[in-house]
């Protein structure tokens, strides 16, 4: 009987971590559905970006209130997890406050965790008020209705509950230490939870132990549940922000990637020595021609799919987007959310069909992202610049437009006219090349 709690704890840990590993495998499989892309260049710059943007949160503090609050929650989350290590070891070994022999260092750590927990509570309340009372514009856009709104709030409630459980556990522990209960040796400093002591006054030793143990168990079970909730939530970014900023774009913004096959054609056309009537080389005819652009998630590259899973749905991109600001249907955040939703749909299809994707008559284009949204983009890069975790919604828009133009010849009329003019007149205007300087004489 003595070891029952330890066994139960080990079981909870195995189940919690087991589900998490299963979700990580699904996530990796889905991301790998994307096309390969070479991101092995410039490792030093990539590490620097990860340290600066993901670890240092430099792009978050561009908007100071939200940024600083976010840093508090982030640091609180990371540091309080040191406490989780002690909880796990205590749970497995049947000890209590295993690290307490560290003496004053331990006291300092527990005191810092408590102060951080309080700051996290304050930050979470501010976040909740911004979302639900002040209703900041970027949180009430059409794509934020339903699950995204619930998810945003849910995570705030979970964080709040976890912090209160942590402080309740410490308060009960502190009280037990003061009444000299067995196993509850004097250890730790409790600058915040001491204010909860009046709530514990008059409780017997057994009731206090019940409060302390219940808070302890709910705290660790809550953390394991949170770990597994991540996969279904925008909060996956707390893990994926690191690889995403590492693999993020390092080319200058505005520099588009050229399609190798098109570049080759253009070079051939411009080569004065090339024979326009020569038969194509054997290697060019052997392979099936590559699909131009993207109409579904499998046509995107894996970094773009990683981007979709990393999106925090913060809406900074949408709030900077000139198309969105002028009332167009486009929202770069929705582009990322749609990509993730479609990818999840493809993943579920594979789960249901023994790992094989069975065509479902749907695709990212039209079923999720409309042509109107795609053509509303000015390719200004403001969304890429604004994103705090190096996501590039524009690259997905460009790939999908590429598909429309090159596979379906389905560009809007204005663009088709412009392209014909460039082809015929060497300029986007409908004038003969010879007339291009006429304006000088006007
Ligand atoms: S690049 Fe397109 S989607 Fe991004 S901010 Fe500019 S207009 Fe909006
Ligand atoms: S793409 Fe970036 S800026 Fe836009 S919602 Fe996602 S995380 Fe926020």
């Amino acid at each position: 009987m003595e070891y029952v709690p330890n066994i139960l704890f080990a079981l909870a840990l195995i189940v919690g971590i087991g589900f998490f590993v299963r979700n990580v495998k699904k996530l990796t499989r889905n991301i790998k559905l994307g096309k390969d892309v070479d991101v092995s260049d410039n490792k030093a710059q990539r590490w620097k970006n990860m340290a600066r943007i993901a670890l240092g949160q430099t792009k978050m503090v561009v908007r100071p209130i939200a940024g600083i609050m976010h840093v508090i929650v982030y640091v609180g989350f990371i540091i309080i997890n040191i406490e989780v290590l002690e909880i796990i070891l205590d749970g497995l070994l049947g000890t209590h406050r295993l690290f307490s022999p560290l003496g004053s260092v331990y006291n300092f750590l527990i005191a810092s965790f408590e102060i951080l927990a309080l700051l996290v509570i304050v930050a979470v309340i501010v976040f909740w008020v911004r979302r639900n009372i002040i209703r900041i514009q970027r949180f009430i856009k059409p794509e934020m209705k339903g699950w995204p709104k619930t998810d945003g709030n849910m995570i705030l409630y979970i964080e709040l509950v976890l912090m209160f459980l942590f402080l309740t556990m410490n308060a009960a522990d502190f009280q037990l230490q003061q009444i000299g209960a067995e196993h509850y040796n004097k250890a730790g400093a409790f600058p915040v939870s001491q204010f909860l002591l009046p709530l514990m006054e008059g409780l017997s030793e057994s009731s206090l132990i019940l409060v302390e143990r219940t808070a302890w168990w709910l705290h660790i079970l809550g953390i394991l549940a949170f770990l597994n909730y991540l996969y279904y939530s925008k909060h996956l970014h707390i893990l994926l922000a690191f690889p995403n900023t590492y693999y993020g774009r390092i080319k200058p913004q505005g520099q588009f990637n050229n399609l190798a096959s098109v570049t080759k054609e253009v070079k051939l056309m411009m080569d004065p020595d090339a024979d326009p009537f020569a038969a194509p080389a054997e290697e060019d005819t052997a392979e099936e021609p590559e699909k131009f652009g993207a109409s579904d998630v499998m046509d995107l590259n894996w970094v773009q799919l990683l981007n979709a899973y990393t999106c925090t749905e913060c809406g900074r991109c949408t709030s900077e987007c000139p198309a969105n600001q002028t009332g167009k249907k486009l929202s770069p955040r929705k582009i990322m959310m749609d990509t993730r939703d479609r990818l999840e749909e493809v993943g579920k299809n594979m789960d249901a069909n023994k790992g094989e994707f069975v065509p479902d008559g749907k695709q990212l284009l039209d079923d999720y992202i409309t042509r109107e949204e795609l053509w509303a983009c000015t390719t200004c890069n403001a969304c890429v610049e604004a994103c705090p975790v190096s996501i590039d919604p524009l690259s997905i828009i460009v790939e999908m437009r590429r598909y429309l133009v090159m596979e379906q010849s389905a560009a809007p009329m204005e663009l088709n006219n412009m392209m014909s003019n460039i082809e015929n007149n060497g300029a986007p205007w409908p004038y003969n090349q010879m007339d291009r300087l006429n304006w000088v004489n006007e």
Side-chain angles (χ1 to χ4, degrees):
M1 283 304 279
E2 193 191 335
Y3 296 109
V4 170
N6 307 36
I7 294 168
L8 285 179
F9 184 84
L11 279 177
L13 210 57
I14 290 168
V15 172
I17 294 177
F19 271 110
F20 178 67
V21 170
R22 194 195 66 153
N23 284 339
V24 169
K25 279 188 185 159
K26 256 192 211 175
L27 185 74
T28 331
R29 180 206 59 191
N30 291 356
I31 290 173
K32 281 186 178 165
L33 292 175
K35 285 184 181 167
D36 203 13
V37 56
D38 184 12
V39 274
S40 58
D41 59 328
N42 222 333
K43 289 196 171 64
Q45 179 64 43
R46 290 184 182 280
W47 281 113
K48 211 167 120 192
N49 284 355
M50 187 172 85
R52 195 170 53 84
I53 303 170
L55 202 63
Q57 305 255 308
T58 44
K59 288 184 91 176
M60 279 306 296
V61 287
V62 172
R63 298 188 185 198
I65 299 177
I68 290 166
M69 294 288 165
H70 189 272
V71 170
I72 290 171
V73 175
Y74 164 75
V75 172
F77 183 81
I78 303 277
I79 294 186
I80 289 172
N81 277 321
I82 300 173
E83 168 80 10
V84 175
L85 181 66
E86 186 188 44
I87 290 180
I88 290 175
L89 291 174
D90 278 346
L92 289 174
L93 305 173
T95 49
H96 184 71
R97 294 200 178 267
L98 183 69
F99 298 157
S100 57
L102 291 173
S104 53
V105 175
Y106 185 76
N107 293 351
F108 173 76
L109 282 175
I110 297 292
S112 337
F113 299 158
E114 288 218 339
I115 291 166
L116 271 170
L118 179 66
L119 290 174
V120 169
I121 289 172
V122 173
V124 163
I125 292 171
V126 173
F127 281 148
W128 188 87
V129 169
R130 282 161 54 90
R131 274 178 184 266
N132 298 285
I133 308 282
I134 304 176
R135 289 168 63 80
I136 287 179
Q137 271 299 312
R138 65 190 160 107
F139 295 131
I140 54 170
K141 296 269 177 189
E143 68 269 20
M144 293 307 286
K145 297 210 162 58
W147 171 246
K149 179 175 185 217
T150 311
D151 179 35
N153 280 329
M154 184 102 86
I155 216 81
L156 297 178
Y157 301 140
I158 295 177
E159 278 168 15
L160 209 58
V161 169
L162 285 179
M163 292 304 123
F164 272 115
L165 284 171
F166 172 68
L167 292 173
T168 310
M169 174 185 91
N170 278 356
D173 196 310
F174 188 32
Q175 182 75 348
L176 284 161
Q177 290 179 22
Q178 287 186 329
I179 62 172
E182 203 183 345
H183 297 308
Y184 289 89
N185 301 330
K186 283 205 161 32
F190 306 98
V192 178
S193 63
Q194 61 175 318
F195 293 104
L196 297 177
L197 287 188
L199 298 174
M200 316 255 166
E201 257 171 32
L203 291 184
S204 65
E205 184 178 319
S206 57
S207 302
L208 280 170
I209 291 176
L210 185 67
V211 171
E212 192 272 337
R213 284 293 86 191
T214 308
W216 186 94
W217 271 99
L218 290 178
H219 182 61
I220 189 66
L221 291 179
I223 286 171
L224 288 174
F226 179 81
L227 194 64
N228 282 290
Y229 176 71
L230 286 184
Y231 178 72
Y232 307 95
S233 158
K234 70 182 181 107
H235 273 71
L236 204 46
H237 76 268
I238 60 177
L239 303 176
L240 295 186
F242 293 90
N244 199 71
T245 45
Y246 180 85
Y247 292 118
R249 182 188 176 91
I250 52 173
K251 273 196 296 190
Q253 277 171 18
Q255 182 182 330
F256 289 103
N257 67 320
N258 291 325
L259 290 175
S261 49
V262 176
T263 310
K264 198 171 156 194
E265 283 292 311
V266 173
K267 280 186 178 158
L268 199 66
M269 281 162 61
M270 298 181 78
D271 181 0
D273 301 324
D275 175 4
F277 303 108
E282 208 168 290
E283 68 267 21
D284 291 345
T285 51
E287 285 176 19
E288 202 182 311
E290 207 186 324
K291 178 177 172 180
F292 293 122
S295 61
D296 209 348
V297 283
M298 291 81 102
D299 305 324
L300 297 169
N301 68 48
W302 66 264
V303 174
Q304 289 168 317
L305 301 186
L306 173 67
N307 276 189
Y309 273 121
T310 310
C311 178
T312 73
E313 295 172 15
C314 68
R316 292 178 180 222
C317 52
T318 297
S319 68
E320 299 288 333
C321 172
N324 191 277
Q325 283 172 0
T326 48
K328 312 280 189 313
K329 215 177 156 202
L330 172 65
S331 160
R333 167 173 56 190
K334 179 177 172 291
I335 299 286
M336 302 317 300
M337 292 166 76
D338 284 345
T339 306
R340 176 178 174 161
D341 288 349
R342 172 61 184 156
L343 187 52
E344 272 297 292
E345 187 175 53
V346 169
K348 283 184 189 141
N349 179 314
M350 293 174 75
D351 289 339
N353 296 296
K354 299 189 182 123
E356 286 295 317
F357 176 68
V358 175
D360 56 359
K362 288 193 199 169
Q363 57 175 5
L364 185 60
L365 178 68
D366 295 333
D367 292 309
Y368 285 83
I369 299 174
T370 62
R371 295 163 194 233
E372 184 184 343
E373 289 168 77
L374 294 174
W375 292 116
C377 177
T378 66
T379 67
C380 68
N381 261 306
C383 52
V384 184
E385 180 68 34
C387 182
V389 282
S390 303
I391 288 172
D392 185 353
L394 175 58
S395 70
I396 296 180
I397 295 173
V398 167
E399 283 307 323
M400 295 184 76
R401 280 185 176 185
R402 224 169 224 174
Y403 172 81
L404 286 172
V405 173
M406 301 186 74
E407 294 279 345
Q408 297 203 323
S409 305
M413 195 179 65
E414 299 88 333
L415 271 180
N416 275 337
N417 287 344
M418 183 201 73
M419 287 188 277
S420 306
N421 288 333
I422 291 178
E423 207 176 329
N424 298 328
N425 307 329
W429 302 286
Y431 310 122
N432 189 309
Q433 285 221 44
M434 306 304 290
D435 296 336
R436 282 172 63 181
L437 279 179
N438 283 1
W439 61 274
V440 175
N441 304 319
E442 280 177 6

